[in-house]
Amino acid sequence: MAKHQFQTEIGQLLKLMTHSLYSNKEIFIRELVSNSSDALDKFNHMRLTDEAFKDADWAGQIDINLDLEDNSLTIGDNGIGMNEEDLMENLGTIAKSGTKAFVESLTGDAKKDSNLIGQFGVGFYSVFMVSNQVEVITKKAGEEQAYKFSTDGTGEFEITPVTKESHGTVMYIKLKEEEKEFLEKYRVESVVKKYSNHIAYPIMMHFTEDETTGEGEDAVTTKVKKSEQVNVATALWAISKSELKKEDYVEFYKSLSHGDDEPLSYLHNKVEGGQEFTTLFYIPKTAPMDLYRADYQSHVKLYVKRVFITDDDKELLPTYLRFVHGIIDSEDLPLNVSREILQENKILANIKQNATKKILQAIKKLKGEDSDTFTQEYNKVIKEGIFQDHINKELLLDIVKYKSSVEEGMVTFADYVSRGDSEKKEIYYIAGEDEKVLRNSPLLEAYKKANIEVLIMDDKEIDEIVAPSIGSYKEWTLKDITTIEAPDSKTEEEKEEISKEFKSLTDKIKEVLGEEVKEVKTTTRLTQSPSCVVKDANDPMAGMAHMFAQMGQAMPETPLILEVNPEHAMIKKLDKLENDALFSDMAWILLDSAKLSEGLEPKDKSAFALRVSKVATEAL
Ligand code: ADP
Ligand code: MG
């Protein structure tokens, strides 16, 4: 007999389970049944790949036993089982980042929190919501010794060698006094139906019922043992679409996602002729907590002819679709397919391509509120897709949305194009980190005046890299307004004239600022602001941010051009100014404040502040 201490984090988790998560306790059944189903899947797979089990006469089954007298219930399976090491590793510690992330994301809202249990791979521990005496009796397939893992759900557990005839696991759960409802046949049955109806193995419930024979005075009531299958036990995705209702899909989704939410959308496809495969995918209403973690979990399971193969192959779909839940079932892959084979497999590559298209088409079809929800949850990963997936760029560009200078909310490229200038075919955008800064950018002034829509791209660290990589949408070219001439009504000659008129001024400013700017020139793009900074469109580095990002390097700084507004009173006065010291201060202020308006930093912040106060004092 060996006593062990739970990993500290598990201790914390157990406390939570016993004291804080008291709504939705029924999900412990879902979690244990799901674990049994996984264990059956694993053994089933082993049977097909491991010589030793090839001829095993075996039919996977899950048994739920309700024992009213003992006030306990057991959930068991004839799956792969666990040895001592497995018990230590799987139940005594949590190797995955699961527990910590789980504890961190708890909200205090009991219902939401119990929805997180399955998502974070802490399902087994949910049993402590209803019990403080749990025994796991288990024997691993192919091994001689069976073990019992027992705990009262506080800090310790014990592992003892025991005897058990066949491989598999039985969870013995002594219910707390107040949890007796989980011994009622109808209660348990409804929970199983709700969450586990389409688990691919039969779930048998064993219970005792009073049965009366004879009538009147001769009536005798005896307790009779009974068994009933409570689930449908067919792989849902293998059933023809026409026989399934929305409820069936939603129910199955709940068992896949370990949650209680309906999906935003689902798609079920059977492909025949040539390669044969079935896919069933779900788009969740809310993004998974680990969407932006490097060690995110995959939510797609691969089956071959209904036999489970793997649930942690992240290559089954493109990484940007990592929020999708579902099933891929191939008829063509060999059952004993190994990880190595999966990696470069043509059949899988073909399924992946087909699946990606289908998923994107389904997303594109979302309307109204659903479409808004999708954008709110997944717009950023769609942008990742635009950057990575050139084959599906067109579809992705139909899905992505941006803020706009002319409308509240989010707009699509199609919206933009529908009201843009169809002769010019240009889509204008400004990208940066802060919506407010972008909306107030002096560079937008000319577009506002000319009534031209500009897309406001403010997804930090994404848009500035992704937008330049888009190039075009349909025949429309994307234009970064910080690198192009602004729209105005002046002719080239008129502009030339103005430029000449102010040449001595712009030369003088350039002299003061030196290498800080590439060029100083007049502009007609501004109405309210005296100056702005723009990037040099001819600079070889401009528009190459995405290439640097791809190489994992920081973008080198591109030199800026300072543009001044000759219509502005400040520029007119500056042109006539004779005080050289004041002129020099003003030249720097023009540059630094233009940088600030674009969310950039002045080269020397304290010098900037000092100059402003100097000039202000003079003015007063
Ligand atoms: P998850 O199922 O997300 O991995 P759980 O807390 O539900 O997390 O289970 C932890 C681990 O314990 C499982 O991954 C599995 O290895 C093992 N396990 C649980 N129940 C069984 C079972 N009935 N048969 C075999 N292994 C099991
Ligand atoms: Mg589990």
Side-chain angles (χ1 to χ4, degrees):
M1 194 191 287
K3 267 196 192 273
H4 302 276
Q5 206 69 26
F6 276 115
Q7 195 185 21
T8 334
E9 276 127 0
I10 296 191
Q12 226 178 325
L13 184 63
L14 289 173
K15 258 201 206 116
L16 265 164
M17 289 291 178
T18 9
H19 301 295
S20 312
L21 299 174
Y22 35 75
S23 91
N24 236 17
K25 288 181 180 175
E26 63 182 32
I27 61 150
F28 86 93
I29 296 175
R30 171 189 82 192
E31 293 303 325
L32 297 189
V33 166
S34 148
N35 284 349
S36 280
S37 166
D38 291 347
L40 292 168
D41 275 345
K42 281 180 199 155
F43 182 72
N44 196 19
H45 188 223
M46 201 167 162
R47 232 161 47 100
L48 298 155
T49 51
D50 192 329
E51 280 298 323
F53 299 99
K54 251 210 161 111
D55 302 313
D57 180 18
W58 176 86
Q61 182 173 315
I62 297 170
D63 292 284
I64 301 179
N65 209 350
L66 308 178
D67 190 337
L68 274 167
E69 271 167 34
D70 185 49
N71 197 24
S72 70
L73 111 166
T74 65
I75 298 183
D77 61 73
N78 53 346
I80 192 159
M82 287 179 272
N83 60 22
E84 191 173 10
E85 233 184 306
D86 294 337
L87 283 170
M88 289 289 293
E89 221 164 82
N90 299 337
L91 304 184
T93 55
I94 293 193
K96 291 169 273 180
S97 49
T99 333
K100 217 168 157 238
F102 173 76
V103 174
E104 277 165 10
S105 46
L106 287 172
T107 60
D109 174 338
K111 180 143 193 282
K112 270 195 202 138
D113 290 347
S114 37
N115 255 332
L116 294 174
I117 290 172
Q119 254 190 52
F120 280 96
V122 294
F124 165 73
Y125 304 96
S126 63
V127 73
F128 296 102
M129 294 195 286
V130 296
S131 170
N132 41 34
Q133 190 185 332
V134 176
E135 290 175 2
V136 182
I137 299 125
T138 181
K139 185 170 159 188
K140 190 159 184 168
E143 297 187 12
E144 285 303 313
Q145 187 61 57
Y147 294 93
K148 183 170 85 179
F149 168 104
S150 43
T151 178
D152 62 1
T154 52
E156 286 179 340
F157 63 91
E158 220 171 81
I159 297 180
T160 341
V162 292
T163 51
K164 182 180 184 306
E165 212 163 286
S166 52
H167 62 84
T169 304
V170 177
M171 302 268 170
Y172 169 90
I173 302 143
K174 184 102 177 171
L175 291 170
K176 292 183 198 164
E177 255 331 288
E178 65 275 20
E179 308 299 344
K180 282 200 167 133
E181 61 184 289
F182 296 111
L183 292 178
E184 288 163 26
K185 186 205 160 206
Y186 296 102
R187 177 80 173 99
V188 177
E189 188 176 348
S190 81
V191 177
V192 172
K193 282 222 164 83
K194 180 167 166 193
Y195 298 106
S196 317
N197 206 11
H198 283 283
I199 293 272
Y201 304 93
I203 302 172
M204 302 297 298
M205 193 151 67
H206 312 281
F207 52 98
T208 44
E209 233 171 32
D210 289 343
E211 222 169 69
T212 311
T213 47
E215 271 177 40
E217 289 195 357
D218 298 331
V220 185
T221 305
T222 44
K223 293 210 178 299
V224 184
K225 285 205 160 184
K226 290 192 174 171
S227 294
E228 264 173 30
Q229 179 171 334
V230 280
N231 67 330
V232 180
T234 41
L236 180 107
W237 64 93
I239 301 172
S240 138
K241 244 165 133 163
S242 58
E243 286 171 43
L244 292 167
K245 290 199 280 296
K246 184 182 174 200
E247 296 94 86
D248 301 317
Y249 286 111
V250 170
E251 194 183 79
F252 185 60
Y253 171 68
K254 288 181 182 176
S255 76
L256 273 186
S257 65
H258 297 254
D260 215 13
D261 284 339
E262 289 201 3
L264 192 59
S265 178
Y266 61 85
L267 53 149
H268 185 191
N269 286 294
K270 195 175 173 117
V271 176
E272 280 166 327
Q275 268 188 47
E276 282 188 28
F277 56 89
T278 303
T279 55
L280 172 58
F281 294 118
Y282 293 94
I283 297 160
K285 260 197 188 124
T286 44
M289 295 287 180
D290 61 1
L291 190 63
Y292 297 110
R293 293 175 65 106
D295 60 350
Y296 70 89
Q297 293 265 304
S298 159
H299 305 287
V300 177
K301 298 186 184 197
L302 176 68
Y303 287 76
V304 173
K305 301 189 186 76
R306 254 77 55 225
V307 176
F308 170 82
I309 306 292
T310 177
D311 61 1
D312 84 30
D313 183 345
K314 295 186 177 174
E315 302 288 309
L316 295 173
L317 288 179
T319 46
Y320 68 89
L321 292 180
R322 58 190 176 273
F323 56 88
V324 173
H325 284 245
I327 303 271
I328 294 175
D329 191 351
S330 160
E331 298 292 322
D332 307 306
L333 284 169
L335 273 167
N336 58 357
V337 65
S338 68
R339 241 168 212 287
E340 295 69 51
I341 293 180
L342 286 179
Q343 262 175 14
E344 303 266 305
N345 190 282
K346 281 223 175 77
I347 297 174
L348 267 189
N350 180 40
I351 296 177
K352 180 175 178 175
Q353 227 176 54
N354 174 293
T356 306
K357 268 219 160 58
K358 287 264 158 56
I359 293 169
L360 293 178
Q361 279 160 352
I363 295 171
K364 192 179 153 182
K365 270 193 222 137
L366 293 174
K367 293 257 151 16
E369 211 175 295
D370 286 348
S371 172
D372 293 343
T373 306
F374 182 87
T375 303
Q376 189 190 320
E377 297 293 309
Y378 307 113
N379 209 30
K380 273 190 203 167
V381 276
I382 290 299
K383 289 175 182 174
E384 255 177 60
I386 293 172
F387 196 62
Q388 291 163 357
D389 185 354
H390 298 284
I391 297 174
N392 293 300
K393 190 172 148 191
E394 207 168 304
L395 269 168
L396 287 158
L397 290 182
D398 275 327
I399 294 169
V400 72
K401 291 187 200 168
Y402 295 102
K403 290 174 182 144
S404 155
S405 63
V406 303
E407 218 180 88
E408 293 230 344
M410 308 289 277
V411 306
T412 61
F413 280 125
D415 294 334
Y416 186 104
V417 161
S418 73
R419 54 193 176 223
D421 180 344
S422 57
E423 304 243 304
K424 237 177 165 178
K425 291 196 184 342
E426 287 181 336
I427 297 173
Y428 303 103
Y429 73 88
I430 181 165
E433 302 204 335
D434 186 307
E435 180 179 359
K436 216 166 141 199
V437 170
L438 293 176
R439 285 196 188 277
N440 292 326
S441 165
L443 300 182
L444 271 179
E445 289 172 12
Y447 293 84
K448 281 182 194 151
K449 199 171 150 203
N451 241 329
I452 296 172
E453 179 168 12
V454 177
L455 298 178
I456 309 287
M457 304 189 176
D458 65 341
D459 257 335
K460 219 172 175 163
E461 281 161 9
I462 297 180
D463 284 323
E464 280 177 292
I465 292 165
V466 175
S469 78
I470 296 176
S472 60
Y473 168 79
K474 305 221 158 121
E475 282 106 56
W476 293 58
T477 318
L478 265 78
K479 298 271 181 187
D480 177 352
I481 65 164
T482 63
T483 64
I484 57 168
E485 285 289 326
D488 61 55
S489 50
K490 294 213 163 52
T491 63
E492 284 307 312
E493 287 83 54
E494 284 169 327
K495 285 189 203 170
E496 192 68 22
E497 198 56 37
I498 297 168
S499 163
K500 261 194 213 141
E501 190 187 328
F502 285 86
K503 186 160 183 342
S504 68
L505 173 70
T506 50
D507 281 353
K508 202 170 157 195
I509 297 174
K510 168 70 178 143
E511 215 180 283
V512 172
L513 300 178
E515 292 309 303
E516 272 311 290
V517 289
K518 185 166 179 217
E519 199 186 335
V520 179
K521 59 183 188 186
T522 51
T523 185
T524 50
R525 76 169 88 228
L526 300 173
T527 52
Q528 286 152 13
S529 311
S531 66
C532 65
V533 285
V534 294
K535 289 180 212 147
D536 180 7
N538 298 321
D539 188 275
M541 291 298 181
M544 282 180 41
H546 61 293
M547 290 191 55
F548 283 94
Q550 232 156 21
M551 295 185 293
Q553 286 174 11
M555 170 83 182
E557 268 189 41
T558 45
L560 295 171
I561 296 172
L562 177 67
E563 296 187 343
V564 296
N565 175 7
E567 305 279 317
H568 198 282
M570 190 202 276
I571 301 301
K572 284 184 178 151
K573 283 188 178 157
L574 202 57
D575 194 28
K576 311 240 149 56
L577 189 70
E578 282 177 358
N579 178 342
D580 278 350
L582 183 58
F583 184 93
S584 153
D585 282 337
M586 280 310 302
W588 280 104
I589 289 172
L590 278 175
L591 173 65
D592 287 341
S593 50
K595 277 178 153 180
L596 282 170
S597 312
E598 302 303 326
L600 303 169
E601 299 229 321
K603 190 181 174 204
D604 183 341
K605 277 190 254 182
S606 55
F608 172 65
L610 212 67
R611 286 191 186 108
V612 171
S613 67
K614 242 166 86 186
V615 172
T617 314
E618 204 132 335
L620 291 169

